[in-house]
Amino acid sequence: MAVALLCAGIALGWGLAQWRISGGTGAGVSTAETGATKSDRKVLYWYDPMVPTQKFEKPGKSPFMDMALVPKYADEDMQQGSGLNVSAQAVQALGLRTAVVEQRDIGADVVALGSVQLNDRDVSIVQARSAGFVERVYARAPGDVVAAGAPLADLLLPEWVAAQREFLAVRALKDDTLTAAARQRLALLGMPAALVAQVERTGEPQGRYTVTFPQGGLVAELMVRQGMTVSAGASLVRVNGLASVWIEAAVPEAQSGPLQLGQDAQVRLAAFPGETLKARIVSILPEANRDTRTVRVRLELPNPGQRLKAGMSGQILLAGRKQPALLVPSEAVIRTGKRALVYVVDGPGKYHPVQVQLGAEIDDRLVVQGGLIAGQQVVASAQFLIDSEASLRGIMPAQAQATGTQAASAQVSPAPSAPKSFTVRGVVDEVTPTEMTLTHDAVPELKWPGMTMPFKLAAPELAKGLKPEQLVRFTFRQQGKDFVITAVERIKP
């Protein structure tokens, strides 16, 4: 009786346990199915995410870093598409960070040093209207500042005296036509209208004429002295106006592109600390300095009270034009010399490379001119390790979309020719669903001697049934930096 009761109790306990596992909450079934799912995935090898090229046959701790090795499953290499999957464990181990592609208005300000110069567009030159003699020169010297209408020199002009006497004689004939013609001749000789009116009023010829300054400003050059003989058209003085001045700045060539005529600028001169003056660009010289790689820019600003002196120096701030642009962190871009890449986040643990066109660098961010759209997420750290893994798998980056003339030229350019294939015999050394290592014969077209090297497989099916030391004839082609096998034929020894 005791034995029977004991057996009944054991049976009841076993049945209750089975009910809990199979029916109670369903957790036991889920756990079992999960374990089965995990055990069904075939592990090709283990690797260190920091050194993805090194493969290990067993799990354990990495000899390079203080971290556990990560399994590489066979079904990961069979996935289609141009993306790359990274496990959550690897993402955490790499310390991978992402950043959002931002769109905002940017305007790079240009700061340059400049110096004050005289406005060469505000220049007057006084010349002698007729040959004569210099009787007197008023106290003037180069560098003096004069007012408009100030006297310069007294000239004695004999030719004017003779012409005035003829005019007075013709006027005495009372012939209006002849008088008008004689008056016109005086004007053609360069006599001012006021001097002709004085001759008519007094009836006496006026041989002396006082030359005055046509405008106020700086006496830049004085070419007349007392006692000189001057000829018709001889220059007497050159005057530079001071109502406005120039500031000439040397802008770096790389920052000169956005500058425009009429653009406003702010000027801070050392002579007036704390004061900001307003100027505008009046000229961008068409030639860059070959030694300093700078472009000369001229700005004009008013000079009330003649405060600004030629030779003063200061700082010029040219505000850049605001325009929308896409920005990514500078650290997110991989530059290879021939192209620039970023890794775009497709989802949790999923990434794919994109080739981008870069613009200017602003602080710690780069302007992206093609390849990305606002709101995308890109890898901002550890992207070099992801790029290494993508290269091993033969994942090619998506091309940046061409714009403008690049798109037009792409439409008319012929399609690129398919890569050339080569067929050669070899012996299998090692084979996986994604890669095959063979000892092959020489390839004369590529100038290759016979050697042992790994090849990528275009499809996992090519590896089925192949074993080490098997003789094959295979066809391969170059794809980026890798050589990919597209066909395999077994050869009987």
Side-chain angles (χ1 to χ4, degrees):
M1 181 65 69
V3 172
L5 292 175
L6 178 62
C7 291
I10 293 173
L12 180 61
W14 181 83
L16 181 60
Q18 291 298 317
W19 177 82
R20 287 179 178 175
I21 293 174
S22 60
T25 62
V29 175
S30 175
T31 304
E33 289 178 354
T34 302
T37 302
K38 288 185 178 180
S39 62
D40 289 343
R41 299 184 69 187
K42 181 181 178 181
V43 178
L44 298 177
Y45 55 88
W46 282 263
Y47 69 99
D48 183 347
M50 304 299 289
V51 190
T53 58
Q54 186 67 38
K55 302 176 183 179
F56 300 91
E57 297 181 356
K58 298 180 180 179
K61 208 166 207 181
S62 169
F64 308 106
M65 305 291 292
D66 187 16
M67 58 187 297
L69 296 175
V70 178
K72 173 69 68 177
Y73 295 101
D75 56 359
E76 291 179 350
D77 283 335
M78 295 180 185
Q79 293 174 351
Q80 301 297 323
S82 61
L84 178 71
N85 286 356
V86 180
S87 65
Q89 181 183 1
V91 170
Q92 184 176 5
L94 294 173
L96 189 145
R97 293 183 293 104
T98 61
V100 179
V101 180
E102 298 180 351
Q103 179 173 2
R104 64 185 185 190
D105 293 336
I106 62 171
D109 296 339
V110 179
V111 179
L113 297 179
S115 60
V116 179
Q117 298 182 0
L118 296 177
N119 187 349
D120 285 342
R121 294 180 179 176
D122 189 11
V123 175
S124 297
I125 296 179
V126 180
Q127 294 180 327
R129 303 294 180 87
S130 180
F133 309 97
V134 180
E135 288 192 336
R136 179 184 177 185
V137 177
Y138 294 85
R140 303 296 176 199
D144 288 348
V145 177
V146 297
L152 169 63
D154 292 339
L155 303 181
L156 179 59
L157 307 173
E159 187 177 354
W160 281 16
V161 175
Q164 291 172 10
R165 289 187 183 279
E166 292 180 4
F167 168 72
L168 293 175
V170 171
R171 196 180 67 135
L173 297 177
K174 306 296 184 178
D175 188 330
D176 294 340
T177 303
L178 293 178
T179 301
R183 186 184 293 108
Q184 182 67 25
R185 181 170 178 265
L186 296 181
L188 293 176
L189 287 174
M191 296 183 197
L195 181 61
V196 175
Q198 182 181 356
V199 171
E200 283 193 272
R201 186 176 65 254
T202 61
E204 294 291 335
Q206 303 293 326
R208 289 182 178 82
Y209 173 65
T210 301
V211 181
T212 59
F213 289 93
Q215 69 170 30
L218 174 71
V219 178
E221 191 175 1
L222 184 64
M223 294 84 77
V224 61
R225 290 292 184 266
Q226 187 169 336
M228 288 178 54
T229 299
V230 295
S231 58
S235 297
L236 305 180
V237 70
R238 182 167 64 90
V239 184
N240 218 126
L242 298 175
S244 63
V245 293
W246 281 349
I247 293 186
E248 188 166 297
V251 177
E253 179 183 357
Q255 297 178 306
S256 63
L259 300 181
Q260 289 185 333
L261 294 178
Q263 183 176 342
D264 294 332
Q266 295 180 350
V267 180
R268 299 182 179 90
L269 298 178
F272 309 106
E275 184 176 352
T276 301
L277 307 176
K278 294 184 179 181
R280 64 182 181 89
I281 297 178
V282 295
S283 179
I284 302 175
L285 300 192
E287 186 175 4
N289 189 305
R290 292 178 175 84
D291 297 327
T292 61
R293 308 314 307 170
T294 55
V295 175
R296 292 167 61 196
V297 178
R298 286 175 180 164
L299 302 97
E300 184 177 334
L301 69 164
N303 185 23
Q306 302 175 6
R307 300 173 62 216
L308 307 181
K309 309 294 189 295
M312 287 183 174
S313 62
Q315 188 182 64
I316 300 171
L317 176 62
L318 298 165
R321 291 177 297 164
K322 297 294 183 181
Q323 54 185 356
L326 296 177
L327 298 176
V328 297
S330 300
E331 61 180 349
V333 181
I334 301 175
R335 306 192 207 200
T336 65
K338 294 183 179 180
R339 59 187 180 181
L341 302 176
V342 297
Y343 276 82
V344 177
V345 180
D346 296 327
K350 298 181 179 180
Y351 314 93
H352 76 276
V354 174
Q355 183 175 341
V356 295
Q357 298 173 353
L358 299 179
E361 185 170 7
I362 302 175
D363 297 331
D364 59 345
R365 294 183 175 270
L366 282 168
V367 176
V368 178
Q369 297 176 338
L372 298 175
I373 60 176
Q376 286 183 309
Q377 284 193 331
V378 296
V379 179
S381 66
Q383 67 272 30
F384 288 97
L385 300 176
I386 296 179
D387 184 60
S388 176
E389 180 68 15
S391 298
L392 291 175
R393 298 191 186 184
I395 299 175
M396 303 301 294
Q399 297 291 327
Q401 184 178 2
T403 58
T405 57
Q406 295 178 347
S409 61
Q411 294 176 359
V412 298
S413 60
S417 60
K420 186 176 180 181
S421 297
F422 306 92
T423 302
V424 66
R425 297 198 335 163
V427 177
V428 177
D429 292 335
E430 185 181 354
V431 60
T432 69
T434 60
E435 189 175 271
M436 185 186 305
T437 303
L438 302 103
T439 301
H440 62 79
D441 296 340
V443 185
E445 295 95 330
L446 298 176
K447 298 181 180 181
W448 284 3
M451 57 182 172
T452 302
M453 64 178 290
F455 292 84
K456 297 289 184 180
L457 294 178
E461 293 78 10
L462 296 174
K464 289 184 178 179
L466 294 179
K467 299 178 180 179
E469 300 183 0
Q470 189 167 11
L471 182 63
V472 296
R473 181 184 291 108
F474 64 98
T475 302
F476 70 94
R477 66 170 181 264
Q478 186 172 3
Q479 181 176 324
K481 297 180 180 180
D482 301 320
F483 294 92
V484 181
I485 295 177
T486 57
V488 179
E489 177 186 358
R490 297 170 184 80
I491 301 175
K492 294 182 179 181

